Amino acid sequence: MVEDDLISARNPFPDGIDERLSAQLAFIAEADKLKTILRASPLAAADRRENDAEHSWHLALMVVLLAEYANEPIDIGHAVKLVVIHDLVEIYAGDSPVFDASSRLDQREREEAAADRLFPVLPDDQAREMRELWDEFEAGQTPEARFCKAIDRLEPMVLNWFNEGGTWRMPGANLTTIRARESGVVAGSTSLGAATAALVDEGVRRGWIRDGGAQDDGSGGEPVA
Amino acid sequence: MVEDDLISARNPFPDGIDERLSAQLAFIAEADKLKTILRASPLAAADRRENDAEHSWHLALMVVLLAEYANEPIDIGHAVKLVVIHDLVEIYAGDSPVFDASSRLDQREREEAAADRLFPVLPDDQAREMRELWDEFEAGQTPEARFCKAIDRLEPMVLNWFNEGGTWRMPGANLTTIRARESGVVAGSTSLGAATAALVDEGVRRGWIRDGGAQDDGSGGEPVA
């Protein structure tokens, strides 16, 4: 990696801070970049897009408050860790909007490369730990990862609800692609999946969501808004 | 409280979502406002101020990565919960910059009133749970609360380090008031307190921090920058 690109390279920590803690603080400083990565989702509270750091915080709050709806018992502390780190790779890989099929084609490749570059800023033991947490989230094979992925899908739906459809009106979004996201909520929480379906059904009724036919493959097209 | 001020009042959730989950989602939507509360701290990664949601996320990441330095053993999951919710009252109370003595005069009163208004948006059991977590953080009497308060003080110091002093140059900031913040880090972590002292010492050497005499009571004065 190009060490000079690190925020910590702009102003190395003083000698009084040892090598291990310097590496940890360098990672923590580098993580500040997550605050500059914009998502497609509009905020509910202001007229601008959400960034990844805000999104990650919101997921952590939701995990704490909605854990009772998980399909399987979860360790809340572990789940909160997963959501806090789940988007860090986007510092280098950028956000891949869910309804932007083209950006998702090479998403896995870009994010793996970003993980290989970012996590080794940490001391080896923590680089491994963070990578394992990220891999766990991505694989979605543990109860916590399944629930966190459900929350990751639900949060933008709640923001859309307060934005007359929000990203549901983007090119590539239609009832088929939105129902696919809904099924990701069901996998972690049947109850929250049912709530998501209620939001989507009402979104359809209000004309915020267009019907998705076979001809609409999510690769683009005219926005409804 | 004025229910109409709630984000959820703009667009009530559909009937298919039951009362308990509607209350939880109303709180989650209301929490979106934390993304609009600006702190005094500048980001390291961009030329703008940090907001409370980003700050809360950054603290959560730091708690996970720096827990080994806590003076006492801590439950990381519990500590992460504390930092995720610790600033929520600022949705109504606003941020009280640490070096702005006047805004801190009635801070406790404003934040208690905000807590009385915000947490009851949740179902009763969770309103009590969130209030207890916030009270625990504020009191700073548990190992987790002490450590989280240390991290809450350390994070803006790291941002200042990449901003040629950042808030250390604000009116009211001087070596006396900054050392007082440093002692809050020591209370949760002697090691991180020593690292903070190294940053502050170097800040003094570079002229980013002015000496604080008895005549400078933190109530204002000319900024150094």
Side-chain angles (χ1 to χ4, degrees):
Chain A
M1 74 177 290
V2 187
E3 293 282 347
D4 289 350
D5 288 346
L6 288 178
I7 283 178
S8 57
R10 294 183 205 159
N11 189 25
F13 293 110
D15 291 342
I17 299 180
D18 72 20
E19 194 179 352
R20 179 174 174 85
L21 181 53
S22 286
Q24 291 163 320
L25 292 177
F27 183 88
I28 285 162
E30 193 68 3
D32 205 57
K33 292 177 179 171
L34 201 66
K35 302 169 188 173
T36 71
I37 306 296
L38 291 183
R39 293 167 49 80
S41 299
L43 295 188
D47 186 21
R48 66 166 175 84
R49 286 158 62 192
E50 184 183 44
N51 70 53
D52 267 347
E54 298 169 327
H55 165 70
S56 298
W57 166 77
H58 218 158
L59 298 196
L61 180 69
M62 291 174 74
V63 164
V64 171
L65 291 173
L66 302 177
E68 67 191 83
Y69 300 109
N71 286 343
E72 307 151 278
I74 61 164
D75 174 334
I76 295 178
H78 185 67
V80 170
K81 272 191 190 181
L82 292 180
V83 295
V84 165
I85 65 96
H86 86 291
D87 268 344
L88 278 172
V89 296
E90 296 190 3
I91 285 174
Y92 302 137
D95 180 51
S96 302
V98 61
F99 300 122
D100 177 356
S102 63
S103 88
R104 295 179 81 84
L105 286 177
D106 64 344
Q107 182 184 2
R108 186 73 210 166
E109 196 177 332
R110 280 184 291 111
E111 293 189 350
E112 291 276 354
D116 292 345
R117 182 175 159 202
L118 177 65
F119 294 126
V121 173
L122 282 167
D124 289 348
D125 60 316
Q126 290 195 321
R128 276 194 302 276
E129 185 192 347
M130 290 300 109
R131 179 61 182 250
E132 282 168 16
L133 287 170
W134 181 64
D135 286 343
E136 178 186 342
F137 177 86
E138 288 294 308
Q141 297 300 312
T142 61
E144 286 81 8
R146 267 189 291 271
F147 185 66
C148 291
K149 280 180 167 286
I151 296 296
D152 191 30
R153 279 152 186 66
L154 175 59
E155 190 249 15
M157 305 257 196
V158 174
L159 297 181
N160 285 348
W161 180 253
F162 294 103
N163 280 284
E164 298 189 339
T167 61
W168 289 337
R169 291 167 173 266
M170 287 178 67
N174 58 56
L175 192 53
T176 306
T177 54
I178 293 167
R179 290 281 187 219
R181 300 298 286 172
E182 188 185 304
S183 70
V185 181
V186 174
S189 168
T190 310
S191 318
L192 296 179
T196 306
L199 295 176
V200 170
D201 290 346
E202 184 61 20
V204 170
R205 208 186 61 75
R206 296 191 193 179
W208 297 344
I209 294 171
R210 58 184 165 178
D211 213 355
Q215 77 286 3
D216 189 339
D217 62 357
S219 62
E222 290 302 309
V224 170
Chain B
M1 73 178 292
V2 187
E3 293 282 347
D4 289 351
D5 289 346
L6 288 178
I7 283 179
S8 58
R10 295 183 205 160
N11 189 24
F13 293 111
D15 290 342
I17 299 180
D18 72 20
E19 195 179 350
R20 180 174 174 85
L21 181 53
S22 286
Q24 291 164 319
L25 292 177
F27 183 88
I28 285 162
E30 193 68 4
D32 205 57
K33 293 177 179 171
L34 200 66
K35 302 169 188 174
T36 70
I37 306 296
L38 291 183
R39 292 167 49 80
S41 299
L43 295 188
D47 186 21
R48 67 165 174 83
R49 286 158 62 193
E50 184 182 45
N51 71 53
D52 267 347
E54 298 169 327
H55 165 69
S56 299
W57 165 78
H58 218 158
L59 298 197
L61 181 69
M62 290 174 75
V63 163
V64 170
L65 291 172
L66 302 177
E68 67 191 84
Y69 301 109
N71 285 343
E72 307 151 278
I74 61 164
D75 175 334
I76 296 178
H78 185 67
V80 171
K81 272 191 191 182
L82 291 179
V83 295
V84 165
I85 65 96
H86 86 291
D87 268 344
L88 278 173
V89 296
E90 296 190 5
I91 284 173
Y92 302 137
D95 180 51
S96 301
V98 61
F99 300 122
D100 178 355
S102 63
S103 89
R104 295 178 82 84
L105 286 177
D106 63 346
Q107 181 184 3
R108 187 72 209 166
E109 196 176 332
R110 280 184 291 112
E111 293 190 349
E112 291 276 353
D116 291 344
R117 183 175 159 202
L118 177 65
F119 294 126
V121 173
L122 283 166
D124 289 348
D125 60 315
Q126 290 196 320
R128 275 194 302 276
E129 185 192 346
M130 291 299 110
R131 179 61 183 248
E132 282 168 15
L133 287 170
W134 181 65
D135 286 342
E136 179 186 343
F137 177 86
E138 287 294 309
Q141 297 300 312
T142 60
E144 287 81 9
R146 267 189 291 272
F147 185 67
C148 289
K149 280 180 167 284
I151 296 296
D152 190 30
R153 278 152 187 65
L154 175 59
E155 190 249 15
M157 305 256 197
V158 174
L159 297 182
N160 285 348
W161 180 252
F162 295 102
N163 281 283
E164 298 189 339
T167 61
W168 289 337
R169 291 166 174 266
M170 287 178 67
N174 58 57
L175 192 54
T176 305
T177 54
I178 293 166
R179 289 282 188 220
R181 300 298 287 172
E182 188 185 305
S183 71
V185 182
V186 174
S189 168
T190 310
S191 318
L192 297 179
T196 306
L199 294 177
V200 171
D201 289 346
E202 184 62 20
V204 170
R205 209 186 61 75
R206 296 190 192 179
W208 296 345
I209 294 171
R210 57 185 166 175
D211 212 355
Q215 77 286 3
D216 190 339
D217 62 356
S219 63
E222 290 303 308
V224 169

